[in-house]
Amino acid sequence: MTDPLIDDVKELLDKEKGDERILKQIYRACENNEVISNYERNYVKSLAEKHLGRIPQIQDNQIEEKHQSNEKPIVPDVIFSKTSSQKVESLYSKSNKNKKSTSKNTKILLGAGGATFVMLIIISMSLTGILNLESNDSQIISEDSSSASLSIKTDLATYQKGDIISISGTSDTSGKVTLSIKNQDGKLIWSEAISVKNNGRFSTLAIAGGPGWDKSGTYTIQVNNNSETKSNTFSFKA
């Protein structure tokens, strides 16, 4: 029986395609029914597909591989054992317990911190109150001491002729005190006896003018309560 490959070899020789020596050798082997190697068969097939328009044949193994590639892979079902699910549940419950204990500890710490903060505020307020009381007491003591001492002052440091001089002061004695003004020469130019109020204070008014107010200079004002004498000064411009 003649090999069907001989038709392609003959046509290739007629069209002078391929190696003439190899094709003639294959042609003689086909006529004599000799064994043709796979290399020679593949050589003829490639030339026939290229120059004779032959359609390449798909081998059975290639068809089977293509069919297998089109099939969807079978994914095996995954079965979880009860022990693994129980382990997961136990781990989840432990994590929840840890979270709850952590939140409780946080609340306890916050509560303790808040109580400490409140205590600090109370202590600071108490100390502030004590300091304020001490300062108030010291102010009261100083006021009492100032009111207990004899003093005298004027509302201004400088006066001109015709101005009204406001005189005030304190005395630790009851009854009356004697006020006086002396000019720059030490001459008495004004005097008045006034009563001390119940709070130990006294006050009066005087006019900068009249006999003895002729010269500018430093004038002296005095107070006497029959126990001691205190003085102060002011400037006068004639």
Side-chain angles (χ1 to χ4, degrees), residues 187-202:
K187 182 180 178 180
L188 181 64
I189 57 175
W190 178 85
S191 179
E192 182 181 354
I194 59 174
S195 299
V196 179
K197 297 179 182 179
N198 294 331
N199 59 3
R201 297 180 180 275
F202 61 86

Side-chain angles (χ1 to χ4, degrees), residues 151-170:
S151 65
I152 189 170
K153 64 179 180 178
T154 57
D155 59 337
L156 298 176
T158 302
Y159 297 95
Q160 294 181 357
K161 197 169 186 178
D163 290 343
I164 296 176
I165 304 171
S166 177
I167 304 168
S168 62
T170 59

Side-chain angles (χ1 to χ4, degrees), residues 140-151:
I140 292 170
I141 293 170
S142 63
E143 288 178 358
D144 291 341
S145 62
S146 64
S147 63
S149 63
L150 182 64
S151 65

Side-chain angles (χ1 to χ4, degrees), residues 22-72:
I22 296 174
L23 291 175
K24 286 182 178 180
Q25 182 179 351
I26 295 171
Y27 184 79
R28 284 194 301 270
C30 290
E31 286 182 340
N32 298 325
N33 292 325
E34 296 177 358
V35 178
I36 301 172
S37 65
N38 290 330
Y39 170 77
E40 292 173 337
R41 289 182 180 276
N42 292 331
Y43 178 72
V44 174
K45 286 180 181 180
S46 63
L47 291 175
E49 292 172 1
K50 184 176 181 181
H51 301 290
L52 304 179
R54 299 287 188 267
I55 298 174
Q57 295 180 357
I58 300 174
Q59 297 180 358
D60 294 338
N61 57 354
Q62 292 179 350
I63 295 173
E64 185 177 358
E65 289 177 358
K66 186 175 181 181
H67 178 70
Q68 290 178 356
S69 63
N70 291 330
E71 291 181 354
K72 294 182 179 180

Side-chain angles (χ1 to χ4, degrees), residues 5-213:
L5 193 65
I6 192 171
D7 295 333
D8 292 336
V9 175
K10 184 177 181 181
E11 190 172 352
L12 289 170
L13 288 171
D14 293 340
K15 292 183 178 183
E16 297 181 353
K17 302 294 183 182
D19 191 333
E20 184 180 1
R21 183 180 61 82
I22 296 174
L23 291 175
K24 286 182 178 180
Q25 182 179 351
I26 295 171
Y27 184 79
R28 284 194 301 270
C30 290
E31 286 182 340
N32 298 325
N33 292 325
E34 296 177 358
V35 178
I36 301 172
S37 65
N38 290 330
Y39 170 77
E40 292 173 337
R41 289 182 180 276
N42 292 331
Y43 178 72
V44 174
K45 286 180 181 180
S46 63
L47 291 175
E49 292 172 1
K50 184 176 181 181
H51 301 290
L52 304 179
R54 299 287 188 267
I55 298 174
Q57 295 180 357
I58 300 174
Q59 297 180 358
D60 294 338
N61 57 354
Q62 292 179 350
I63 295 173
E64 185 177 358
E65 289 177 358
K66 186 175 181 181
H67 178 70
Q68 290 178 356
S69 63
N70 291 330
E71 291 181 354
K72 294 182 179 180
I74 299 173
V75 180
D77 295 333
V78 179
I79 300 173
F80 293 98
S81 62
K82 292 183 179 180
T83 56
S84 61
S85 61
Q86 289 175 356
K87 288 181 180 179
V88 172
E89 290 178 357
S90 62
L91 289 173
Y92 180 74
S93 61
K94 286 181 181 179
S95 63
N96 287 335
K97 288 180 180 179
N98 291 331
K99 288 181 180 179
K100 290 180 180 178
S101 61
T102 304
S103 61
K104 288 181 180 179
N105 294 332
T106 305
K107 290 180 180 179
I108 292 170
L109 290 174
L110 289 175
T116 305
F117 182 70
V118 171
M119 290 296 293
L120 290 174
I121 292 175
I122 293 172
I123 293 170
S124 63
M125 290 176 67
S126 300
L127 292 174
T128 304
I130 292 170
L131 292 175
N132 289 333
L133 288 174
E134 290 179 353
S135 62
N136 291 333
D137 292 340
S138 63
Q139 289 178 358
I140 292 170
I141 293 170
S142 63
E143 288 178 358
D144 291 341
S145 62
S146 64
S147 63
S149 63
L150 182 64
S151 65
I152 189 170
K153 64 179 180 178
T154 57
D155 59 337
L156 298 176
T158 302
Y159 297 95
Q160 294 181 357
K161 197 169 186 178
D163 290 343
I164 296 176
I165 304 171
S166 177
I167 304 168
S168 62
T170 59
S171 177
D172 58 352
T173 60
S174 60
K176 292 186 177 183
V177 293
T178 301
L179 306 179
S180 61
I181 297 176
K182 294 180 180 180
N183 60 15
Q184 79 281 358
D185 296 330
K187 182 180 178 180
L188 181 64
I189 57 175
W190 178 85
S191 179
E192 182 181 354
I194 59 174
S195 299
V196 179
K197 297 179 182 179
N198 294 331
N199 59 3
R201 297 180 180 275
F202 61 86
S203 62
T204 188
L205 298 175
I207 298 175
W213 296 82

